[in-house]
Amino acid sequence: MTCLFCAILAGDVDAHFVFDETLIAGFLDSRPVFKGHTLLVPRIHVDTITELPPDLYAPLFDAAARVTAAVRHALGAQGSFVAMNNTVSQSVPHLHMHVVPRTKGDGLRGFFWPRTKYDDEAEAAEYAARLGAAVITT
């Protein structure tokens, strides 16, 4: 099965590009949360952020900052929602960052998944320690 985003990048599937550089491209989401909803993708195929080569971190976030500024200036948005799903809820298995224009009162509220709580501060500290150790060693 061919990756939809790779097909878009190859020009085999039409898309409306709003950002087109050597390492990162951005095009309108075909099912936007709000008009102007842009997907930023690395030109190389990687499924998730854990596979993204470190030399693409800065170009991806630079693109996000520039597109975020663009939605404010070009669309009159008051801000934006910038997000990335990683496997779960990732409709296309090609890393992509969403930049969604936002305006106060636009009706988008909160997150779309249930929340949980730690049993106590000790459990939270244990999770933090485990994650912190993993960040240092990876």
Side-chain angles (χ1 to χ4, degrees):
M1 182 178 198
T2 302
C3 169
L4 174 61
F5 292 168
C6 287
I8 288 171
L9 294 170
D12 298 333
V13 173
D14 290 336
H16 298 278
F17 283 81
V18 298
F19 189 89
D20 194 6
E21 292 195 351
T22 306
L23 301 173
I24 307 295
F27 45 86
L28 293 180
D29 192 311
S30 62
R31 296 179 309 126
V33 174
F34 298 115
K35 292 177 182 177
H37 179 167
T38 299
L39 303 176
L40 295 169
V41 301
R43 289 193 167 277
I44 62 165
H45 181 90
V46 294
D47 286 352
T48 65
I49 192 140
T50 57
E51 299 164 12
L52 186 68
D55 62 333
L56 292 182
Y57 295 174
L60 180 59
F61 278 88
D62 176 66
R66 292 164 60 194
V67 172
T68 296
V71 300
R72 290 186 72 153
H73 296 292
L75 305 178
Q78 294 172 324
S80 61
F81 175 70
V82 179
M84 180 186 306
N85 290 310
N86 212 39
T87 306
V88 175
S89 296
Q90 188 178 6
S91 59
V92 177
H94 183 126
L95 177 69
H96 55 286
M97 183 178 291
H98 298 259
V99 178
V100 180
R102 296 293 315 275
T103 302
K104 187 174 182 172
D106 61 16
L108 190 61
R109 289 189 172 87
F111 294 97
F112 303 112
W113 53 84
R115 299 295 182 103
T116 190
K117 293 183 179 181
Y118 294 104
D119 291 338
D120 53 33
E121 288 300 313
E123 183 184 38
E126 182 215 292
Y127 272 78
R130 287 171 42 201
L131 287 169
V135 168
I136 292 167
T137 60
T138 13

